[in-house]
Amino acid sequence: MALSMAAVVTAQCQWPVPPLPSPLAFQAIPGDRFSNLRRQAIQFVDARQWQGFHFVERKEHGSFQVHCRGVPVLWLENRPEHVLMQTSLDAEQRAPEVLQLWAFLRWQLQPLDYLEQVLIGVPEPVLMDRVLGKLAGGVPDGVRCVKG
């Protein structure tokens, strides 16, 4: 019995359970709340510009992006029907600190449930994209935004 229990624990350590997909769409918010999220993203970038982060304002949907050395790693769109927030598939390797910003912004929003997201056509990276991203290897140091 103890041997089989040890095998289960060992298997879980070697093959961790993949994280559940994170909501990408959130309930619509007023413009002043979105402006507050925008200010928080600008503060994040301003404090980390030396690491290679840049804030990019987008015209469509009043959106913005956070770039790591020219590559978008997080973007937020304030659409009339919902707020859309996404991170790049390689954000964890390219710009691990942006995940802290993502979590902080997400905490302030009310997620739509999975069915609501499907009904409005929110794009979700397919499992194969995630697997291929992991298998492709790490991001070279010269294009990463990390503490130096």
Side-chain angles (χ1 to χ4, degrees):
M1 178 70 167
L3 186 56
S4 62
M5 195 64 146
V8 169
V9 170
T10 302
Q12 287 180 337
C13 291
Q14 290 178 348
W15 296 288
V17 176
L20 295 173
S22 301
L24 298 173
F26 302 86
Q27 291 182 4
I29 59 173
D32 60 332
R33 282 196 54 211
F34 191 80
S35 293
N36 189 39
L37 298 176
R38 182 182 168 281
R39 268 191 302 279
Q40 292 166 0
I42 290 171
Q43 290 171 345
F44 171 88
V45 167
D46 285 348
R48 293 164 181 81
Q49 280 186 346
W50 60 273
Q51 293 177 1
F53 284 105
H54 298 283
F55 183 86
V56 177
E57 193 83 44
R58 307 287 299 188
K59 298 289 185 215
E60 58 275 350
H61 304 293
S63 64
F64 64 83
Q65 296 179 344
V66 174
H67 287 203
C68 167
R69 303 197 188 279
V71 177
V73 289
L74 175 119
W75 49 99
L76 224 69
E77 295 178 17
N78 192 19
R79 297 181 176 184
E81 62 279 0
H82 63 273
V83 173
L84 182 65
M85 181 167 50
Q86 298 181 66
T87 58
S88 64
L89 291 175
D90 67 351
E92 186 176 357
Q93 292 84 28
R94 182 177 298 277
E97 284 190 58
V98 84
L99 298 179
Q100 295 170 358
L101 174 62
W102 174 82
F104 182 68
L105 297 175
R106 181 178 171 209
W107 171 77
Q108 300 174 65
L109 299 168
Q110 180 65 39
L112 296 178
D113 66 31
Y114 179 75
L115 182 57
E116 290 174 308
Q117 291 190 51
V118 169
L119 291 175
I120 61 173
V122 172
E124 168 63 23
V126 295
L127 180 60
M128 184 57 81
D129 291 338
R130 292 180 191 273
V131 170
L132 290 175
K134 294 285 185 190
L135 293 177
V139 176
D141 286 339
V143 297
R144 297 176 72 218
C145 292
V146 294
K147 293 180 182 177

